[in-house]
PDB file of all heavy atoms in Angstrom:
ATOM      1  N   ASN B   1    -156.619  12.728  25.549  1.00  0.00           N
ATOM      2  CA  ASN B   1    -157.294  11.576  24.964  1.00  0.00           C
ATOM      3  C   ASN B   1    -156.451  10.310  25.064  1.00  0.00           C
ATOM      4  O   ASN B   1    -156.420   9.511  24.140  1.00  0.00           O
ATOM      5  CB  ASN B   1    -157.613  11.858  23.490  1.00  0.00           C
ATOM      6  CG  ASN B   1    -158.401  13.138  23.314  1.00  0.00           C
ATOM      7  OD1 ASN B   1    -159.020  13.612  24.255  1.00  0.00           O
ATOM      8  ND2 ASN B   1    -158.375  13.698  22.142  1.00  0.00           N
ATOM      9  N   GLY B   2    -155.755  10.151  26.153  1.00  0.00           N
ATOM     10  CA  GLY B   2    -154.942   8.956  26.298  1.00  0.00           C
ATOM     11  C   GLY B   2    -153.790   8.908  25.312  1.00  0.00           C
ATOM     12  O   GLY B   2    -153.502   7.873  24.728  1.00  0.00           O
ATOM     13  N   TYR B   3    -153.138  10.047  25.124  1.00  0.00           N
ATOM     14  CA  TYR B   3    -152.005  10.152  24.213  1.00  0.00           C
ATOM     15  C   TYR B   3    -152.365   9.766  22.781  1.00  0.00           C
ATOM     16  O   TYR B   3    -151.748   8.911  22.171  1.00  0.00           O
ATOM     17  CB  TYR B   3    -150.813   9.335  24.712  1.00  0.00           C
ATOM     18  CG  TYR B   3    -150.199   9.923  25.946  1.00  0.00           C
ATOM     19  CD1 TYR B   3    -150.397   9.355  27.174  1.00  0.00           C
ATOM     20  CD2 TYR B   3    -149.439  11.080  25.866  1.00  0.00           C
ATOM     21  CE1 TYR B   3    -149.852   9.908  28.316  1.00  0.00           C
ATOM     22  CE2 TYR B   3    -148.880  11.647  26.995  1.00  0.00           C
ATOM     23  CZ  TYR B   3    -149.096  11.048  28.217  1.00  0.00           C
ATOM     24  OH  TYR B   3    -148.554  11.605  29.331  1.00  0.00           O
ATOM     25  N   THR B   4    -153.400  10.394  22.264  1.00  0.00           N
ATOM     26  CA  THR B   4    -153.776  10.223  20.861  1.00  0.00           C
ATOM     27  C   THR B   4    -152.626  10.672  19.979  1.00  0.00           C
ATOM     28  O   THR B   4    -152.067  11.746  20.175  1.00  0.00           O
ATOM     29  CB  THR B   4    -155.026  11.070  20.537  1.00  0.00           C
ATOM     30  OG1 THR B   4    -156.072  10.651  21.391  1.00  0.00           O
ATOM     31  CG2 THR B   4    -155.439  10.919  19.094  1.00  0.00           C
ATOM     32  N   GLN B   5    -152.260   9.875  19.000  1.00  0.00           N
ATOM     33  CA  GLN B   5    -151.170  10.226  18.095  1.00  0.00           C
ATOM     34  C   GLN B   5    -151.743  10.881  16.842  1.00  0.00           C
ATOM     35  O   GLN B   5    -152.620  10.319  16.202  1.00  0.00           O
ATOM     36  CB  GLN B   5    -150.384   8.977  17.693  1.00  0.00           C
ATOM     37  CG  GLN B   5    -149.702   8.319  18.863  1.00  0.00           C
ATOM     38  CD  GLN B   5    -148.913   7.102  18.432  1.00  0.00           C
ATOM     39  OE1 GLN B   5    -148.417   7.043  17.318  1.00  0.00           O
ATOM     40  NE2 GLN B   5    -148.793   6.142  19.314  1.00  0.00           N
ATOM     41  N   VAL B   6    -151.231  12.070  16.533  1.00  0.00           N
ATOM     42  CA  VAL B   6    -151.706  12.817  15.372  1.00  0.00           C
ATOM     43  C   VAL B   6    -150.497  13.285  14.574  1.00  0.00           C
ATOM     44  O   VAL B   6    -149.606  13.931  15.126  1.00  0.00           O
ATOM     45  CB  VAL B   6    -152.542  14.052  15.813  1.00  0.00           C
ATOM     46  CG1 VAL B   6    -152.989  14.851  14.605  1.00  0.00           C
ATOM     47  CG2 VAL B   6    -153.725  13.618  16.659  1.00  0.00           C
ATOM     48  N   PRO B   7    -150.438  12.973  13.274  1.00  0.00           N
ATOM     49  CA  PRO B   7    -149.315  13.452  12.462  1.00  0.00           C
ATOM     50  C   PRO B   7    -149.435  14.949  12.188  1.00  0.00           C
ATOM     51  O   PRO B   7    -150.510  15.438  11.869  1.00  0.00           O
ATOM     52  CB  PRO B   7    -149.433  12.647  11.165  1.00  0.00           C
ATOM     53  CG  PRO B   7    -150.862  12.238  11.102  1.00  0.00           C
ATOM     54  CD  PRO B   7    -151.355  12.136  12.514  1.00  0.00           C
ATOM     55  N   VAL B   8    -148.340  15.680  12.338  1.00  0.00           N
ATOM     56  CA  VAL B   8    -148.323  17.125  12.104  1.00  0.00           C
ATOM     57  C   VAL B   8    -147.030  17.514  11.394  1.00  0.00           C
ATOM     58  O   VAL B   8    -146.027  16.826  11.499  1.00  0.00           O
ATOM     59  CB  VAL B   8    -148.436  17.928  13.430  1.00  0.00           C
ATOM     60  CG1 VAL B   8    -149.788  17.720  14.083  1.00  0.00           C
ATOM     61  CG2 VAL B   8    -147.330  17.557  14.405  1.00  0.00           C
ATOM     62  N   THR B   9    -147.091  18.637  10.672  1.00  0.00           N
ATOM     63  CA  THR B   9    -145.883  19.152  10.034  1.00  0.00           C
ATOM     64  C   THR B   9    -145.559  20.567  10.494  1.00  0.00           C
ATOM     65  O   THR B   9    -144.481  21.070  10.227  1.00  0.00           O
ATOM     66  CB  THR B   9    -146.025  19.153   8.494  1.00  0.00           C
ATOM     67  OG1 THR B   9    -147.193  19.885   8.151  1.00  0.00           O
ATOM     68  CG2 THR B   9    -146.140  17.737   7.959  1.00  0.00           C
ATOM     69  N   SER B  10    -146.528  21.211  11.180  1.00  0.00           N
ATOM     70  CA  SER B  10    -146.304  22.584  11.629  1.00  0.00           C
ATOM     71  C   SER B  10    -147.146  22.869  12.864  1.00  0.00           C
ATOM     72  O   SER B  10    -148.043  22.099  13.209  1.00  0.00           O
ATOM     73  CB  SER B  10    -146.687  23.574  10.522  1.00  0.00           C
ATOM     74  OG  SER B  10    -148.090  23.557  10.344  1.00  0.00           O
ATOM     75  N   LEU B  11    -146.862  23.986  13.505  1.00  0.00           N
ATOM     76  CA  LEU B  11    -147.661  24.395  14.663  1.00  0.00           C
ATOM     77  C   LEU B  11    -149.097  24.664  14.246  1.00  0.00           C
ATOM     78  O   LEU B  11    -150.034  24.398  14.999  1.00  0.00           O
ATOM     79  CB  LEU B  11    -147.055  25.642  15.307  1.00  0.00           C
ATOM     80  CG  LEU B  11    -145.670  25.459  15.934  1.00  0.00           C
ATOM     81  CD1 LEU B  11    -145.177  26.781  16.504  1.00  0.00           C
ATOM     82  CD2 LEU B  11    -145.683  24.390  17.007  1.00  0.00           C
ATOM     83  N   ASN B  12    -149.287  25.164  13.024  1.00  0.00           N
ATOM     84  CA  ASN B  12    -150.631  25.428  12.532  1.00  0.00           C
ATOM     85  C   ASN B  12    -151.455  24.137  12.435  1.00  0.00           C
ATOM     86  O   ASN B  12    -152.655  24.137  12.669  1.00  0.00           O
ATOM     87  CB  ASN B  12    -150.565  26.132  11.181  1.00  0.00           C
ATOM     88  CG  ASN B  12    -151.890  26.760  10.829  1.00  0.00           C
ATOM     89  OD1 ASN B  12    -152.523  27.402  11.655  1.00  0.00           O
ATOM     90  ND2 ASN B  12    -152.323  26.559   9.596  1.00  0.00           N
ATOM     91  N   ASP B  13    -150.807  23.024  12.100  1.00  0.00           N
ATOM     92  CA  ASP B  13    -151.498  21.727  12.069  1.00  0.00           C
ATOM     93  C   ASP B  13    -152.084  21.394  13.440  1.00  0.00           C
ATOM     94  O   ASP B  13    -153.181  20.851  13.543  1.00  0.00           O
ATOM     95  CB  ASP B  13    -150.545  20.598  11.672  1.00  0.00           C
ATOM     96  CG  ASP B  13    -150.161  20.624  10.204  1.00  0.00           C
ATOM     97  OD1 ASP B  13    -150.781  21.386   9.437  1.00  0.00           O
ATOM     98  OD2 ASP B  13    -149.236  19.880   9.842  1.00  0.00           O
ATOM     99  N   ILE B  14    -151.333  21.712  14.490  1.00  0.00           N
ATOM    100  CA  ILE B  14    -151.801  21.441  15.852  1.00  0.00           C
ATOM    101  C   ILE B  14    -153.036  22.287  16.159  1.00  0.00           C
ATOM    102  O   ILE B  14    -154.041  21.791  16.674  1.00  0.00           O
ATOM    103  CB  ILE B  14    -150.691  21.725  16.888  1.00  0.00           C
ATOM    104  CG1 ILE B  14    -149.509  20.785  16.661  1.00  0.00           C
ATOM    105  CG2 ILE B  14    -151.234  21.586  18.312  1.00  0.00           C
ATOM    106  CD1 ILE B  14    -148.278  21.128  17.481  1.00  0.00           C
ATOM    107  N   ILE B  15    -152.985  23.568  15.808  1.00  0.00           N
ATOM    108  CA  ILE B  15    -154.113  24.471  16.049  1.00  0.00           C
ATOM    109  C   ILE B  15    -155.343  23.993  15.266  1.00  0.00           C
ATOM    110  O   ILE B  15    -156.449  23.958  15.799  1.00  0.00           O
ATOM    111  CB  ILE B  15    -153.732  25.919  15.684  1.00  0.00           C
ATOM    112  CG1 ILE B  15    -152.679  26.437  16.675  1.00  0.00           C
ATOM    113  CG2 ILE B  15    -154.956  26.825  15.666  1.00  0.00           C
ATOM    114  CD1 ILE B  15    -152.068  27.771  16.309  1.00  0.00           C
ATOM    115  N   GLN B  16    -155.143  23.587  14.013  1.00  0.00           N
ATOM    116  CA  GLN B  16    -156.257  23.117  13.186  1.00  0.00           C
ATOM    117  C   GLN B  16    -156.854  21.829  13.740  1.00  0.00           C
ATOM    118  O   GLN B  16    -158.067  21.651  13.769  1.00  0.00           O
ATOM    119  CB  GLN B  16    -155.809  22.933  11.742  1.00  0.00           C
ATOM    120  CG  GLN B  16    -155.568  24.235  11.028  1.00  0.00           C
ATOM    121  CD  GLN B  16    -155.089  24.031   9.601  1.00  0.00           C
ATOM    122  OE1 GLN B  16    -154.923  22.911   9.134  1.00  0.00           O
ATOM    123  NE2 GLN B  16    -154.860  25.136   8.907  1.00  0.00           N
ATOM    124  N   TYR B  17    -156.010  20.908  14.180  1.00  0.00           N
ATOM    125  CA  TYR B  17    -156.515  19.654  14.743  1.00  0.00           C
ATOM    126  C   TYR B  17    -157.340  19.927  16.004  1.00  0.00           C
ATOM    127  O   TYR B  17    -158.429  19.377  16.171  1.00  0.00           O
ATOM    128  CB  TYR B  17    -155.368  18.694  15.070  1.00  0.00           C
ATOM    129  CG  TYR B  17    -155.853  17.487  15.825  1.00  0.00           C
ATOM    130  CD1 TYR B  17    -156.497  16.446  15.163  1.00  0.00           C
ATOM    131  CD2 TYR B  17    -155.695  17.393  17.211  1.00  0.00           C
ATOM    132  CE1 TYR B  17    -156.972  15.341  15.855  1.00  0.00           C
ATOM    133  CE2 TYR B  17    -156.173  16.301  17.908  1.00  0.00           C
ATOM    134  CZ  TYR B  17    -156.811  15.278  17.225  1.00  0.00           C
ATOM    135  OH  TYR B  17    -157.289  14.203  17.920  1.00  0.00           O
ATOM    136  N   CYS B  18    -156.831  20.793  16.869  1.00  0.00           N
ATOM    137  CA  CYS B  18    -157.551  21.127  18.104  1.00  0.00           C
ATOM    138  C   CYS B  18    -158.902  21.764  17.796  1.00  0.00           C
ATOM    139  O   CYS B  18    -159.896  21.484  18.463  1.00  0.00           O
ATOM    140  CB  CYS B  18    -156.701  22.029  18.987  1.00  0.00           C
ATOM    141  SG  CYS B  18    -155.302  21.160  19.739  1.00  0.00           S
ATOM    142  N   ALA B  19    -158.950  22.606  16.766  1.00  0.00           N
ATOM    143  CA  ALA B  19    -160.216  23.232  16.374  1.00  0.00           C
ATOM    144  C   ALA B  19    -161.216  22.176  15.907  1.00  0.00           C
ATOM    145  O   ALA B  19    -162.408  22.256  16.220  1.00  0.00           O
ATOM    146  CB  ALA B  19    -159.977  24.262  15.276  1.00  0.00           C
ATOM    147  N   ARG B  20    -160.729  21.174  15.195  1.00  0.00           N
ATOM    148  CA  ARG B  20    -161.623  20.107  14.710  1.00  0.00           C
ATOM    149  C   ARG B  20    -162.230  19.302  15.858  1.00  0.00           C
ATOM    150  O   ARG B  20    -163.333  18.778  15.730  1.00  0.00           O
ATOM    151  CB  ARG B  20    -160.874  19.158  13.764  1.00  0.00           C
ATOM    152  CG  ARG B  20    -160.703  19.717  12.374  1.00  0.00           C
ATOM    153  CD  ARG B  20    -160.359  18.644  11.353  1.00  0.00           C
ATOM    154  NE  ARG B  20    -159.204  17.826  11.688  1.00  0.00           N
ATOM    155  CZ  ARG B  20    -157.949  18.105  11.367  1.00  0.00           C
ATOM    156  NH1 ARG B  20    -157.665  19.212  10.703  1.00  0.00           N
ATOM    157  NH2 ARG B  20    -156.964  17.302  11.696  1.00  0.00           N
ATOM    158  N   ILE B  21    -161.512  19.179  16.966  1.00  0.00           N
ATOM    159  CA  ILE B  21    -162.047  18.408  18.093  1.00  0.00           C
ATOM    160  C   ILE B  21    -162.690  19.315  19.143  1.00  0.00           C
ATOM    161  O   ILE B  21    -162.998  18.878  20.240  1.00  0.00           O
ATOM    162  CB  ILE B  21    -160.986  17.481  18.722  1.00  0.00           C
ATOM    163  CG1 ILE B  21    -159.817  18.279  19.314  1.00  0.00           C
ATOM    164  CG2 ILE B  21    -160.508  16.449  17.715  1.00  0.00           C
ATOM    165  CD1 ILE B  21    -158.848  17.439  20.133  1.00  0.00           C
ATOM    166  N   GLY B  22    -162.855  20.602  18.788  1.00  0.00           N
ATOM    167  CA  GLY B  22    -163.620  21.501  19.643  1.00  0.00           C
ATOM    168  C   GLY B  22    -162.838  22.380  20.596  1.00  0.00           C
ATOM    169  O   GLY B  22    -163.402  22.988  21.484  1.00  0.00           O
ATOM    170  N   HIS B  23    -161.522  22.468  20.416  1.00  0.00           N
ATOM    171  CA  HIS B  23    -160.696  23.322  21.285  1.00  0.00           C
ATOM    172  C   HIS B  23    -160.080  24.421  20.439  1.00  0.00           C
ATOM    173  O   HIS B  23    -159.235  24.152  19.591  1.00  0.00           O
ATOM    174  CB  HIS B  23    -159.597  22.504  21.964  1.00  0.00           C
ATOM    175  CG  HIS B  23    -160.114  21.387  22.794  1.00  0.00           C
ATOM    176  ND1 HIS B  23    -160.753  21.582  23.991  1.00  0.00           N
ATOM    177  CD2 HIS B  23    -160.107  20.055  22.587  1.00  0.00           C
ATOM    178  CE1 HIS B  23    -161.110  20.415  24.498  1.00  0.00           C
ATOM    179  NE2 HIS B  23    -160.734  19.465  23.660  1.00  0.00           N
ATOM    180  N   ARG B  24    -160.502  25.647  20.675  1.00  0.00           N
ATOM    181  CA  ARG B  24    -159.971  26.772  19.917  1.00  0.00           C
ATOM    182  C   ARG B  24    -158.737  27.325  20.622  1.00  0.00           C
ATOM    183  O   ARG B  24    -158.844  27.858  21.710  1.00  0.00           O
ATOM    184  CB  ARG B  24    -161.035  27.844  19.752  1.00  0.00           C
ATOM    185  CG  ARG B  24    -162.250  27.322  18.985  1.00  0.00           C
ATOM    186  CD  ARG B  24    -163.246  28.376  18.628  1.00  0.00           C
ATOM    187  NE  ARG B  24    -162.807  29.302  17.598  1.00  0.00           N
ATOM    188  CZ  ARG B  24    -162.703  28.998  16.309  1.00  0.00           C
ATOM    189  NH1 ARG B  24    -162.955  27.787  15.900  1.00  0.00           N
ATOM    190  NH2 ARG B  24    -162.320  29.907  15.449  1.00  0.00           N
ATOM    191  N   LEU B  25    -157.588  27.183  19.981  1.00  0.00           N
ATOM    192  CA  LEU B  25    -156.332  27.679  20.534  1.00  0.00           C
ATOM    193  C   LEU B  25    -155.885  28.885  19.723  1.00  0.00           C
ATOM    194  O   LEU B  25    -155.988  28.882  18.504  1.00  0.00           O
ATOM    195  CB  LEU B  25    -155.244  26.605  20.457  1.00  0.00           C
ATOM    196  CG  LEU B  25    -155.545  25.266  21.108  1.00  0.00           C
ATOM    197  CD1 LEU B  25    -154.367  24.320  20.903  1.00  0.00           C
ATOM    198  CD2 LEU B  25    -155.847  25.427  22.584  1.00  0.00           C
ATOM    199  N   SER B  26    -155.382  29.902  20.421  1.00  0.00           N
ATOM    200  CA  SER B  26    -154.886  31.067  19.688  1.00  0.00           C
ATOM    201  C   SER B  26    -153.395  30.949  19.413  1.00  0.00           C
ATOM    202  O   SER B  26    -152.890  31.522  18.460  1.00  0.00           O
ATOM    203  CB  SER B  26    -155.170  32.344  20.473  1.00  0.00           C
ATOM    204  OG  SER B  26    -154.577  32.266  21.751  1.00  0.00           O
ATOM    205  N   ASN B  27    -152.696  30.214  20.241  1.00  0.00           N
ATOM    206  CA  ASN B  27    -151.262  30.044  20.004  1.00  0.00           C
ATOM    207  C   ASN B  27    -150.776  28.730  20.598  1.00  0.00           C
ATOM    208  O   ASN B  27    -151.353  28.193  21.528  1.00  0.00           O
ATOM    209  CB  ASN B  27    -150.471  31.203  20.596  1.00  0.00           C
ATOM    210  CG  ASN B  27    -150.481  31.167  22.110  1.00  0.00           C
ATOM    211  OD1 ASN B  27    -151.495  30.854  22.722  1.00  0.00           O
ATOM    212  ND2 ASN B  27    -149.371  31.463  22.721  1.00  0.00           N
ATOM    213  N   VAL B  28    -149.709  28.227  20.007  1.00  0.00           N
ATOM    214  CA  VAL B  28    -149.076  26.995  20.469  1.00  0.00           C
ATOM    215  C   VAL B  28    -147.576  27.213  20.417  1.00  0.00           C
ATOM    216  O   VAL B  28    -147.069  27.834  19.492  1.00  0.00           O
ATOM    217  CB  VAL B  28    -149.467  25.804  19.562  1.00  0.00           C
ATOM    218  CG1 VAL B  28    -148.667  24.574  19.909  1.00  0.00           C
ATOM    219  CG2 VAL B  28    -150.940  25.500  19.670  1.00  0.00           C
ATOM    220  N   GLU B  29    -146.876  26.719  21.414  1.00  0.00           N
ATOM    221  CA  GLU B  29    -145.419  26.801  21.436  1.00  0.00           C
ATOM    222  C   GLU B  29    -144.859  25.429  21.762  1.00  0.00           C
ATOM    223  O   GLU B  29    -145.509  24.629  22.430  1.00  0.00           O
ATOM    224  CB  GLU B  29    -144.950  27.781  22.513  1.00  0.00           C
ATOM    225  CG  GLU B  29    -145.312  29.214  22.245  1.00  0.00           C
ATOM    226  CD  GLU B  29    -144.802  30.147  23.338  1.00  0.00           C
ATOM    227  OE1 GLU B  29    -143.920  29.733  24.112  1.00  0.00           O
ATOM    228  OE2 GLU B  29    -145.303  31.272  23.405  1.00  0.00           O
ATOM    229  N   ILE B  30    -143.640  25.187  21.290  1.00  0.00           N
ATOM    230  CA  ILE B  30    -142.929  23.964  21.637  1.00  0.00           C
ATOM    231  C   ILE B  30    -141.789  24.356  22.570  1.00  0.00           C
ATOM    232  O   ILE B  30    -141.037  25.280  22.289  1.00  0.00           O
ATOM    233  CB  ILE B  30    -142.344  23.277  20.381  1.00  0.00           C
ATOM    234  CG1 ILE B  30    -143.430  23.014  19.336  1.00  0.00           C
ATOM    235  CG2 ILE B  30    -141.629  21.987  20.773  1.00  0.00           C
ATOM    236  CD1 ILE B  30    -144.504  22.053  19.755  1.00  0.00           C
ATOM    237  N   ASP B  31    -141.679  23.665  23.692  1.00  0.00           N
ATOM    238  CA  ASP B  31    -140.634  23.965  24.664  1.00  0.00           C
ATOM    239  C   ASP B  31    -139.974  22.665  25.089  1.00  0.00           C
ATOM    240  O   ASP B  31    -140.652  21.708  25.442  1.00  0.00           O
ATOM    241  CB  ASP B  31    -141.245  24.673  25.879  1.00  0.00           C
ATOM    242  CG  ASP B  31    -140.185  25.254  26.800  1.00  0.00           C
ATOM    243  OD1 ASP B  31    -139.027  25.399  26.359  1.00  0.00           O
ATOM    244  OD2 ASP B  31    -140.507  25.548  27.953  1.00  0.00           O
ATOM    245  N   TYR B  32    -138.647  22.634  25.027  1.00  0.00           N
ATOM    246  CA  TYR B  32    -137.901  21.433  25.401  1.00  0.00           C
ATOM    247  C   TYR B  32    -137.690  21.416  26.916  1.00  0.00           C
ATOM    248  O   TYR B  32    -137.029  22.289  27.465  1.00  0.00           O
ATOM    249  CB  TYR B  32    -136.555  21.404  24.674  1.00  0.00           C
ATOM    250  CG  TYR B  32    -135.800  20.126  24.874  1.00  0.00           C
ATOM    251  CD1 TYR B  32    -136.195  18.973  24.204  1.00  0.00           C
ATOM    252  CD2 TYR B  32    -134.705  20.064  25.717  1.00  0.00           C
ATOM    253  CE1 TYR B  32    -135.513  17.781  24.377  1.00  0.00           C
ATOM    254  CE2 TYR B  32    -134.016  18.878  25.895  1.00  0.00           C
ATOM    255  CZ  TYR B  32    -134.419  17.736  25.233  1.00  0.00           C
ATOM    256  OH  TYR B  32    -133.744  16.560  25.404  1.00  0.00           O
ATOM    257  N   ARG B  33    -138.310  20.448  27.579  1.00  0.00           N
ATOM    258  CA  ARG B  33    -138.171  20.320  29.037  1.00  0.00           C
ATOM    259  C   ARG B  33    -138.098  18.852  29.413  1.00  0.00           C
ATOM    260  O   ARG B  33    -138.858  18.032  28.897  1.00  0.00           O
ATOM    261  CB  ARG B  33    -139.378  20.912  29.770  1.00  0.00           C
ATOM    262  CG  ARG B  33    -139.528  22.399  29.643  1.00  0.00           C
ATOM    263  CD  ARG B  33    -140.668  22.876  30.499  1.00  0.00           C
ATOM    264  NE  ARG B  33    -141.033  24.244  30.157  1.00  0.00           N
ATOM    265  CZ  ARG B  33    -142.107  24.854  30.585  1.00  0.00           C
ATOM    266  NH1 ARG B  33    -142.957  24.232  31.374  1.00  0.00           N
ATOM    267  NH2 ARG B  33    -142.371  26.086  30.228  1.00  0.00           N
ATOM    268  N   ASN B  34    -137.228  18.538  30.329  1.00  0.00           N
ATOM    269  CA  ASN B  34    -137.115  17.174  30.856  1.00  0.00           C
ATOM    270  C   ASN B  34    -137.000  16.120  29.752  1.00  0.00           C
ATOM    271  O   ASN B  34    -137.597  15.052  29.826  1.00  0.00           O
ATOM    272  CB  ASN B  34    -138.310  16.839  31.765  1.00  0.00           C
ATOM    273  CG  ASN B  34    -138.408  17.780  32.947  1.00  0.00           C
ATOM    274  OD1 ASN B  34    -137.402  18.208  33.483  1.00  0.00           O
ATOM    275  ND2 ASN B  34    -139.625  18.108  33.334  1.00  0.00           N
ATOM    276  N   GLY B  35    -136.256  16.449  28.701  1.00  0.00           N
ATOM    277  CA  GLY B  35    -136.013  15.488  27.641  1.00  0.00           C
ATOM    278  C   GLY B  35    -137.144  15.305  26.651  1.00  0.00           C
ATOM    279  O   GLY B  35    -137.103  14.397  25.832  1.00  0.00           O
ATOM    280  N   LYS B  36    -138.182  16.163  26.713  1.00  0.00           N
ATOM    281  CA  LYS B  36    -139.302  16.054  25.779  1.00  0.00           C
ATOM    282  C   LYS B  36    -139.610  17.413  25.177  1.00  0.00           C
ATOM    283  O   LYS B  36    -139.401  18.437  25.804  1.00  0.00           O
ATOM    284  CB  LYS B  36    -140.565  15.550  26.481  1.00  0.00           C
ATOM    285  CG  LYS B  36    -140.529  14.101  26.858  1.00  0.00           C
ATOM    286  CD  LYS B  36    -141.876  13.668  27.400  1.00  0.00           C
ATOM    287  CE  LYS B  36    -141.847  12.197  27.760  1.00  0.00           C
ATOM    288  NZ  LYS B  36    -143.117  11.758  28.322  1.00  0.00           N
ATOM    289  N   TYR B  37    -140.137  17.398  23.969  1.00  0.00           N
ATOM    290  CA  TYR B  37    -140.620  18.621  23.328  1.00  0.00           C
ATOM    291  C   TYR B  37    -142.093  18.773  23.687  1.00  0.00           C
ATOM    292  O   TYR B  37    -142.957  18.114  23.103  1.00  0.00           O
ATOM    293  CB  TYR B  37    -140.445  18.544  21.813  1.00  0.00           C
ATOM    294  CG  TYR B  37    -139.005  18.541  21.381  1.00  0.00           C
ATOM    295  CD1 TYR B  37    -138.342  17.351  21.103  1.00  0.00           C
ATOM    296  CD2 TYR B  37    -138.307  19.742  21.259  1.00  0.00           C
ATOM    297  CE1 TYR B  37    -137.020  17.347  20.710  1.00  0.00           C
ATOM    298  CE2 TYR B  37    -136.981  19.744  20.865  1.00  0.00           C
ATOM    299  CZ  TYR B  37    -136.334  18.547  20.595  1.00  0.00           C
ATOM    300  OH  TYR B  37    -135.024  18.558  20.217  1.00  0.00           O
ATOM    301  N   LEU B  38    -142.360  19.600  24.676  1.00  0.00           N
ATOM    302  CA  LEU B  38    -143.721  19.782  25.164  1.00  0.00           C
ATOM    303  C   LEU B  38    -144.492  20.759  24.282  1.00  0.00           C
ATOM    304  O   LEU B  38    -143.938  21.746  23.806  1.00  0.00           O
ATOM    305  CB  LEU B  38    -143.717  20.302  26.600  1.00  0.00           C
ATOM    306  CG  LEU B  38    -142.976  19.447  27.630  1.00  0.00           C
ATOM    307  CD1 LEU B  38    -143.093  20.072  29.009  1.00  0.00           C
ATOM    308  CD2 LEU B  38    -143.495  18.021  27.635  1.00  0.00           C
ATOM    309  N   VAL B  39    -145.761  20.486  24.082  1.00  0.00           N
ATOM    310  CA  VAL B  39    -146.638  21.374  23.328  1.00  0.00           C
ATOM    311  C   VAL B  39    -147.422  22.194  24.346  1.00  0.00           C
ATOM    312  O   VAL B  39    -148.180  21.655  25.149  1.00  0.00           O
ATOM    313  CB  VAL B  39    -147.621  20.579  22.440  1.00  0.00           C
ATOM    314  CG1 VAL B  39    -148.507  21.531  21.649  1.00  0.00           C
ATOM    315  CG2 VAL B  39    -146.859  19.649  21.506  1.00  0.00           C
ATOM    316  N   LEU B  40    -147.196  23.509  24.345  1.00  0.00           N
ATOM    317  CA  LEU B  40    -147.811  24.399  25.323  1.00  0.00           C
ATOM    318  C   LEU B  40    -148.762  25.371  24.633  1.00  0.00           C
ATOM    319  O   LEU B  40    -148.519  25.792  23.505  1.00  0.00           O
ATOM    320  CB  LEU B  40    -146.735  25.209  26.060  1.00  0.00           C
ATOM    321  CG  LEU B  40    -145.617  24.414  26.723  1.00  0.00           C
ATOM    322  CD1 LEU B  40    -144.566  25.372  27.265  1.00  0.00           C
ATOM    323  CD2 LEU B  40    -146.157  23.531  27.825  1.00  0.00           C
TER     324      LEU B  40
END
């Protein structure tokens, strides 16, 4: 969504936000690559 900024405090917040916008995720991981914490 053009780098929409969403405040989160946990991985569960990410899953809940995605569900609200219509994307059901079963798992989310954070991985540090190329100087960024990527959400996978």
Side-chain angles (χ1 to χ4, degrees):
N1 306 340
Y3 291 105
T4 301
Q5 296 181 30
V6 178
V8 294
T9 55
S10 69
L11 295 179
N12 196 45
D13 288 349
I14 297 171
I15 292 171
Q16 288 179 359
Y17 172 78
C18 289
R20 282 198 306 271
I21 63 171
H23 301 288
R24 299 188 71 73
L25 304 179
S26 57
N27 70 321
V28 172
E29 293 181 17
I30 305 296
D31 191 17
Y32 187 75
R33 293 185 193 169
N34 300 325
K36 288 186 179 178
Y37 293 97
L38 303 182
V39 181
L40 306 174

